[in-house]
Amino acid sequence: MCTKSTPSDSRQYQTLILDMDGVLADVSKSYRAAIVQTCHHFGATAVDLNVISEWKARGNANDDWKLSRDLIMNDPNARRVTLEEVTEKFEQLYQGHGDTPGLCTLETLIPSRETLEELHRRSKPGIGIVTGRPRQDCYKFLKRYDLERLIIASYCMEDGPSKPDPFPVTKCCELLGVEPGPNVILVGDTPDDMKAARSARCTGVGVTTPEAAVDQEAKGEPHTMAKLSLAMSQAGADVILPPGFADLTNMFPPP
């Protein structure tokens, strides 16, 4: 199967909206690990990072609390649990409790500071964020890496429906003061991101997660052949970029 690693035409983008998890933040050891450990806690011991990628590739898996419960309920050997029970355990693992540090402390920034600074200069009127994270977790990460001044608009879990609904993208456009259109891009790591962008009449740009790119390299295959990257291509991604999306700067007009 052919996947796109360059834009579909010579058009340059104008406004940048970023997803957070898997795009800005490497969450393989935090959110993804919290899903695995939560599932194992309730008896769904077959869940691993590959299973999570498979479910996210199917779509409608943007809420990690709900995804964790769905994975548990899909395992006949696991306990029957409520979403509240799953959320409580997930948050305990992610945020930390007592003397145990949270998995959130293991998150790292994927793109270089230089890439983000350049995109901040080129994106008009600035960069927006659309994430399924609670606002507290979103701001905590931005503050940790001193990115707050680079982001001028944000849409988080509390603000309304999640992707693949187009509302998060159209609302972020409104906050940025731009009209949705093909020159507005949402950079994401799942087909839900691509579907949300397209439904909002914007452009979806996919990015392969760091752990998926490493797995593909070990197989001697391009990053665009990773499960989620293939799913994003099928969902209409304009291009699939490697982790860090450094080449994205050249797809915007110079400042």
Side-chain angles (χ1 to χ4, degrees):
M1 176 179 178
C2 179
T3 57
K4 293 175 288 185
S5 58
T6 57
S8 58
D9 55 39
S10 60
R11 167 175 44 80
Q12 289 191 307
Y13 308 132
Q14 291 186 13
T15 303
L16 174 62
I17 300 174
L18 294 171
D19 179 33
M20 180 166 278
D21 299 339
V23 176
L24 272 181
D26 185 343
V27 295
S28 59
K29 297 178 181 177
S30 61
Y31 275 115
R32 300 293 187 269
I35 295 173
V36 171
Q37 292 182 34
T38 299
C39 290
H40 288 193
H41 176 78
F42 291 110
T45 56
V47 173
D48 59 16
L49 293 179
N50 284 330
V51 171
I52 294 169
S53 291
E54 288 172 1
W55 279 60
K56 283 188 173 286
R58 297 176 194 171
N60 292 301
N62 196 58
D63 184 331
D64 286 347
W65 297 339
K66 184 177 182 300
L67 174 59
S68 298
R69 182 173 184 266
D70 289 344
L71 287 164
I72 293 165
M73 299 301 283
N74 189 63
D75 188 330
N77 298 314
R79 286 172 48 190
R80 304 300 89 182
V81 291
T82 65
L83 180 59
E84 289 73 20
E85 290 175 296
V86 170
T87 301
E88 181 179 1
K89 182 60 182 178
F90 185 106
E91 286 297 290
Q92 185 183 69
L93 291 164
Y94 180 77
Q95 305 290 355
H97 62 99
D99 295 329
T100 304
L103 296 171
C104 61
T105 61
L106 302 178
E107 292 175 349
T108 55
L109 181 66
I110 301 172
S112 70
R113 180 81 190 190
E114 292 74 19
T115 293
L116 293 175
E117 290 278 4
E118 186 61 28
L119 287 169
H120 172 69
R121 286 190 285 270
R122 296 191 178 210
S123 177
K124 305 301 180 187
I127 301 175
I129 288 247
V130 168
T131 177
R133 285 188 181 215
R135 188 169 298 279
Q136 173 184 322
D137 293 348
C138 173
Y139 286 179
K140 182 191 298 184
F141 184 84
L142 294 177
K143 184 174 182 179
R144 179 180 175 188
Y145 286 98
D146 192 27
L147 301 176
E148 294 164 299
R149 72 172 184 83
L150 302 182
I151 308 301
I152 67 170
S154 59
Y155 180 100
C156 302
M157 175 186 283
E158 299 90 337
D159 295 327
S162 62
K163 298 166 289 187
D165 192 295
F167 181 76
V169 182
T170 57
K171 182 62 178 180
C172 192
C173 287
E174 178 185 325
L175 294 171
L176 288 166
V178 299
E179 286 294 323
N183 59 356
V184 178
I185 64 167
L186 169 64
V187 179
D189 67 323
T190 70
D192 282 347
D193 296 317
M194 304 304 105
K195 292 173 185 174
R198 286 172 61 85
S199 296
R201 305 187 308 282
C202 297
T203 299
V205 169
V207 63
T208 306
T209 61
E211 70 274 15
V214 169
D215 288 345
Q216 292 307 116
E217 184 177 4
K219 297 175 185 176
E221 298 178 350
H223 73 90
T224 51
M225 297 302 291
K227 288 177 185 174
L228 280 170
S229 297
L230 289 172
M232 286 189 286
S233 290
Q234 292 168 351
D238 198 36
V239 59
I240 305 293
L241 299 174
F245 49 90
D247 291 342
L248 190 60
T249 57
N250 297 325
M251 300 174 194
F252 280 81

